[in-house]
Amino acid sequence: MTLASFKSALPRDALASIVVFLVALPLCMGIAIASGMPPAKGLITGIIGGLVVGWIAGSPLQVSGPAAGLAVLVFELVRTHGIAMLGPILLLAGLLQLVAGRLRLGCWFRVTAPAVVYGMLAGIGILILLSQFHVMFDVKPQASGLDNLMAFPATLSQAIPGLGGGSALAAALLGFGTITCMFLWDKLRPQSLRFLPGALIGVTLMTAVSLWLGLGVARVEVPANLSDAIDWIQPADLFNLANPQIILAAVVLAFIASAETLLSAAAVDRMHNGPRSNLDRELSAQGVGNMLCGVLGALPMTGVIVRSSANVQAGARTRLSTIFHGAWLLAFVMVLPAVLQSIPVACLGGVLVYTGFKLVDIKAIRGLGRYGRAPVFIYAATALGIVTVDLLTGVLIGFALTLLKLAGKASRLKVSLNELGPDEAELRLTGSATFLKVPHLASVLEGIAPTTRLHVPLDKLSYVDHACMELLDDWGRAAEQQGGALLIERHGLTRRLEGRALNMRRAMA
């Protein structure tokens, strides 16, 4: 970057960084609470995402930090393995991301079927909604989505005068007030104030109300000194990385974080006309950031679309806006921790309930519906698996259904036998002849007299594999011994394959 371009971009980047900081502040703390971690852990991740990852990122305008999409996974990891093991898991996950980026595997993370991705986000959104509903009542959430759903009556009873006790009703009113403010601000905010995020407006107003009325609700616990929130990774915990369950957790975390990051980077590229993202460099940068978060005992990070879109819409030109937003987070936490300590936890729960609801994207379902019922079914099955079992199971269900769908498409073969005359016939094959269709093709060949001269044109085939060709050749050898013949016409298929190869070479040129 030249000095002149730096000076021209600096004012817009500085303004955009303030907007991103205002968006990131409540989200960092809210996502930490949803993950079962102290709010300061989310702030540390946001600071690293700005100051470190922002500097080396391959997507200059993408903002990195704690992501709602990982909150469910982190909550489960902490519940299963304890907070102390999150650091080693995150360290290994970051190392895997760094290696994947250096091996130029970034583009492969975008191969994931959209139905699985949208289903994963929807499932995570539902789980966040179910768990943070309890947080809005100052009630501790349950371990699973179904448990949270079953606990709704008990939580609601806490807010009924005479049945419950404590601050549940006041907390609930603050949480729902935050959601109402966010909704109305998104719908009615004036054009001149569009840069202000609804989450900040809602949290600020409801915090002011709670202080004015002196409500005795649970409030955010942030240490006066940020260094007190750092839990350095312990060398003894690294020996647990030999545990297969820990390795699997790190692989799952690395995959989901990478997929969310790179899908977000692709979305950010569509929002502006500046430099395109280098996915491999972005993946490596995320790996470095997550390794640092693991060492410091913070939350995992990804590239996040909400903060990134706010960055672009605020007019950011370079990576300076992302770096500055991390600096504002650090300065605010160090100088004004008392302000954070006055925020009701229920307000942050309301922010996450609203965020979880928006993750269930109805437009995405409609878009998938244009491609048939199968993508919508995969979407629903993935989300349902995540909600009823766990995140890994839901994603694996989505991948399995996608592979079954591809196998079904790849095995579509229409076989028709036409009589051309005495002892002469044509076997017409249309579609894709794979090993999955060998039984059907074999049954048709068994019904053809071995004295027949059988013509098999391949011009209507998009693909034929070795298993089907070997089956045809076996029938032909047997037929020759009894006066028949097999005449395979390959020219049509050859011309089609050559034409495709030529088109690919032209496209690459």
Side-chain angles (χ1 to χ4, degrees), residues 94-160:
L95 179 61
L96 292 174
Q97 287 182 296
L98 176 61
V99 172
R102 300 302 296 174
L103 294 177
R104 301 184 180 277
L105 300 179
C107 61
W108 287 100
F109 283 89
R110 295 173 61 184
V111 174
T112 309
V116 178
V117 175
Y118 292 133
M120 179 184 74
L121 293 177
I124 289 171
I126 294 171
L127 286 179
I128 290 174
L129 194 154
L130 294 175
S131 67
Q132 296 308 296
F133 178 85
H134 298 282
V135 173
M136 288 200 307
F137 287 76
D138 276 354
V139 175
K140 185 178 180 180
Q142 302 296 315
S144 70
L146 292 180
D147 289 340
N148 279 315
L149 183 61
M150 297 299 293
F152 272 13
T155 296
L156 290 173
S157 68
Q158 294 291 317
I160 299 176

Side-chain angles (χ1 to χ4, degrees), residues 28-213:
C28 286
M29 293 187 292
I31 291 168
I33 292 173
S35 304
M37 301 279 282
K41 301 288 188 180
L43 293 170
I44 293 173
T45 299
I47 292 167
I48 295 174
L51 294 179
V52 179
V53 177
W55 184 264
I56 61 177
S59 182
L61 300 186
Q62 176 161 258
V63 181
S64 298
L70 291 179
V72 174
L73 178 59
V74 174
F75 184 89
E76 187 175 333
L77 291 177
V78 170
R79 182 176 62 87
T80 304
H81 303 290
I83 292 181
M85 280 310 301
L86 183 61
I89 291 173
L90 191 48
L91 181 65
L92 179 56
L95 179 61
L96 292 174
Q97 287 182 296
L98 176 61
V99 172
R102 300 302 296 174
L103 294 177
R104 301 184 180 277
L105 300 179
C107 61
W108 287 100
F109 283 89
R110 295 173 61 184
V111 174
T112 309
V116 178
V117 175
Y118 292 133
M120 179 184 74
L121 293 177
I124 289 171
I126 294 171
L127 286 179
I128 290 174
L129 194 154
L130 294 175
S131 67
Q132 296 308 296
F133 178 85
H134 298 282
V135 173
M136 288 200 307
F137 287 76
D138 276 354
V139 175
K140 185 178 180 180
Q142 302 296 315
S144 70
L146 292 180
D147 289 340
N148 279 315
L149 183 61
M150 297 299 293
F152 272 13
T155 296
L156 290 173
S157 68
Q158 294 291 317
I160 299 176
L163 293 180
S167 59
L169 179 58
L173 292 175
L174 292 174
F176 284 111
T178 303
I179 294 173
T180 302
C181 290
M182 293 177 68
F183 176 78
L184 293 177
W185 186 255
D186 284 346
K187 298 295 182 183
L188 305 175
R189 61 183 170 181
Q191 187 66 31
S192 59
L193 297 177
R194 291 191 67 84
F195 65 92
L196 288 176
L200 181 70
I201 299 295
V203 170
T204 301
L205 287 177
M206 291 301 105
T207 299
V209 168
S210 72
L211 294 174
W212 179 50
L213 297 177

Side-chain angles (χ1 to χ4, degrees), residues 201-233:
I201 299 295
V203 170
T204 301
L205 287 177
M206 291 301 105
T207 299
V209 168
S210 72
L211 294 174
W212 179 50
L213 297 177
L215 299 178
V217 295
R219 299 186 186 272
V220 172
E221 296 180 2
V222 178
N225 188 347
L226 187 62
S227 62
D228 294 338
I230 296 176
D231 293 320
W232 295 97
I233 193 170

Side-chain angles (χ1 to χ4, degrees), residues 352-377:
L352 268 295
V353 166
Y354 190 76
T355 302
F357 179 78
K358 295 185 74 172
L359 284 176
V360 186
D361 191 351
I362 302 301
K363 292 181 180 179
I365 301 176
R366 293 171 181 168
L368 293 172
R370 294 201 301 266
Y371 298 94
R373 297 178 181 178
V376 177
F377 177 75

Side-chain angles (χ1 to χ4, degrees), residues 210-291:
S210 72
L211 294 174
W212 179 50
L213 297 177
L215 299 178
V217 295
R219 299 186 186 272
V220 172
E221 296 180 2
V222 178
N225 188 347
L226 187 62
S227 62
D228 294 338
I230 296 176
D231 293 320
W232 295 97
I233 193 170
Q234 299 300 313
D237 293 332
L238 296 177
F239 292 106
N240 291 322
L241 290 176
N243 185 336
Q245 290 185 341
I246 298 297
I247 295 174
L248 177 61
V251 171
V252 172
L253 181 60
F255 178 82
I256 294 176
S258 300
E260 186 170 345
T261 292
L262 300 182
L263 289 170
S264 174
V268 172
D269 282 349
R270 293 193 291 268
M271 297 178 186
H272 65 90
N273 297 320
R276 303 294 91 181
S277 298
N278 182 327
L279 298 184
D280 296 316
R281 180 176 174 180
E282 179 67 23
L283 189 57
S284 296
Q286 294 291 325
V288 171
N290 276 320
M291 290 175 71

Side-chain angles (χ1 to χ4, degrees), residues 473-509:
D473 289 337
D474 288 343
W475 186 92
R477 284 191 292 269
E480 285 180 1
Q481 299 176 4
Q482 301 188 47
L486 177 69
L487 304 173
I488 297 180
E489 301 170 9
R490 306 171 186 262
H491 301 294
L493 179 63
T494 303
R495 285 195 299 270
R496 290 180 65 186
L497 293 176
E498 289 177 347
R500 288 183 182 179
L502 178 61
N503 291 335
M504 289 180 63
R505 286 195 295 270
R506 288 175 177 172
M508 293 175 65

